[in-house]
Every structure is written in C-alpha cells, then in structure tokens.
Amino acid sequence: MDKKRNLYIAIFLMPAIIIFVIIYLIPVYNVITTSFLEWNLFVGDKTFIGLDNYINAFTNDSLFMASLKNTLIWVVLQGTFHVGLGTMVALFLADKPKMWKFMRVSYMLPNMISGAAFAIILLNIYNPEIGLINQFISFLGVENFQQNWFFDTSTAFFAVTMTWLPYAGLVAILVLAEIMSIPTSLYEAAAIAGATKFQQKLYVTLPLLKNIIGTCVLISATSMLKEFEHIYLTTNGGPGSTTLSLPLYLYKTALIENNYAYANTMGTILVIIGFLIIFVINKLFVLGHSDR
C-alpha cells in the first residue's frame, strides 16, 4: 500500500520537478560553471580562469562592492523596517474591520500597477520642480528642505528606499489575514484573566504571528535580491553608484559591457546570498512549525 502511495506521489510531483530542473536548475548550473571562465564579446574562446572573477570583484571592483553594500542594506531594511511597519499597521487595524477592508484595497494598489508605470509615478512625485514632495515642503514654508531627491547624492539612497514603503501594505494584509484566523476563545480567556487589549496583542497575537512574520521577512528580504526595474527606471543606479544594486550592475555588465562570465559571477554571488538569507530566516523563525 505504501509503495503504491509513494508511486502516486512521485507521479504527481514529476511535472513540477521536470519544470524546476529545466527552468531553474539547469540555468543556475550554467551560471555557476561559466562564472569560472573568461567569456565576453571580445574573446572568442571561453577560457577557464578559476576564481579570478571572484577575486577581481572583491578586490578591484569598487562598483561591485558599492552595489553589494547597497543591496545588503536594502535586504536588511526591507526585512526589518518594512515588515515591522506592516505588522504594526495590521495590529492597529485588526480591531477596526471597516477601516481595514478599505485599507486592504488601498494597500494593494501598488501591487496592481506595473513596475514601469509605478516608476514613472515616482519620478513625478520626486520631481524637484513639480513633484508632490517639494510642493508639500513649499506649502509648509520650509523651502530650504526642497531637494532633487533622486539625483542628489545626499538624498538619492533615501529616496529610492522610500519607494518600496507602499509594499509594506502587502505585509499588513498577510498579517491581518493571519490575525483573523486566531480563535476568539484565546482572547476571551485572556480577558477573563484580566489582560488588557494591549497585553492580548503582546502575549496572544504576536507569538501566534511568528510564522507569517517570518514568511513576510523571507519574501521581503529575498525580493531585494532581484530588485531592478524601479532603480533602472528612476535613477539607473546613480548618481555615481549611490543607488546601484547588484542586479542592475549585473544587467549592465552582461548587456552593455558584454562581459558574460563576470555577470554570471555576480549571479552566483546573488544565489549564494539568497540561500544564506533563507537559511538564517528559517533558523530564526523556525518556519513551518505551528505553535497552535
């Protein structure tokens, strides 16, 4: 009986495994193996050069180091600040069903707009002359704080980081859905024991949200490893390398400089960072283990 059951499981899993191997595993294998080569548009033959691309990236390439630093900072901010903000909004709205139904639709708007269209909207919002932000600052009468947000080295990184703030709404929606699934009997028992609303959120709700918060941290942090279109369409990594991300630098290396092996080196580093992030977050949140 067990053999028959295992056979059925293998049959049903086989299409997904085949698709995974063709779409993900083989390309990743090619990226990793070609990262040890000298391979660009101007070199006819692919030559094995061992770890030279990796050594060059970490010792001689300031753009790579800048893009790596920016990407890692954004990974941390996205996995902490944005998830924390979304969780706080969800806890605040949990007792206000009418408001959270409205906010649920509002928060989904950035996710329903294409990345390119949203980038154009952001360019207009941050426009130094007609943008909403500088107009609002002018309305407050503090013109000295007006900036060329996307293209000034002192504000560009902050401005780009803030463009991902609306996506905290997705975290809020996921956490709210989890809060709605918590049995009311737990809150009734806590209330009988004399717990206030704040104590109920702190000692009943928050511990039961560990899995969903961990999942949101995982999704948010890893999403930064592929963040490309917003940066490309707004600052293009500038000014200088202030907002250069690793995926954008990889793109420029592959399609503008035609240095394919070096681009694949960055791709391999991104894959390794991704696995490390998944491992650490799984360990921290013990994902997949329910406390209920």
Side-chain angles (χ1 to χ4, degrees), residues 11 113 216 241 262 270:
I11 291 172
I113 302 172
C216 290
S241 60
Y262 195 50
L270 276 173

Side-chain angles (χ1 to χ4, degrees), residues 173-241:
I173 290 169
L174 292 173
V175 175
L176 265 172
E178 186 72 6
I179 292 174
M180 294 300 112
S181 71
I182 296 175
T184 55
S185 59
L186 295 177
Y187 295 109
E188 290 167 359
I192 291 171
T196 63
K197 285 284 184 185
F198 177 76
Q199 289 171 326
Q200 289 176 27
K201 289 184 188 300
L202 190 62
Y203 298 114
V204 178
T205 308
L206 266 179
L208 294 175
L209 297 178
K210 186 184 70 174
N211 266 332
I212 191 64
I213 291 175
T215 303
C216 290
V217 171
L218 187 63
I219 294 171
S220 300
T222 53
S223 71
M224 284 295 100
L225 297 179
K226 58 184 180 61
E227 182 56 45
F228 171 80
E229 56 187 355
H230 283 170
I231 302 174
Y232 177 72
L233 292 170
T234 53
T235 65
N236 196 22
S241 60

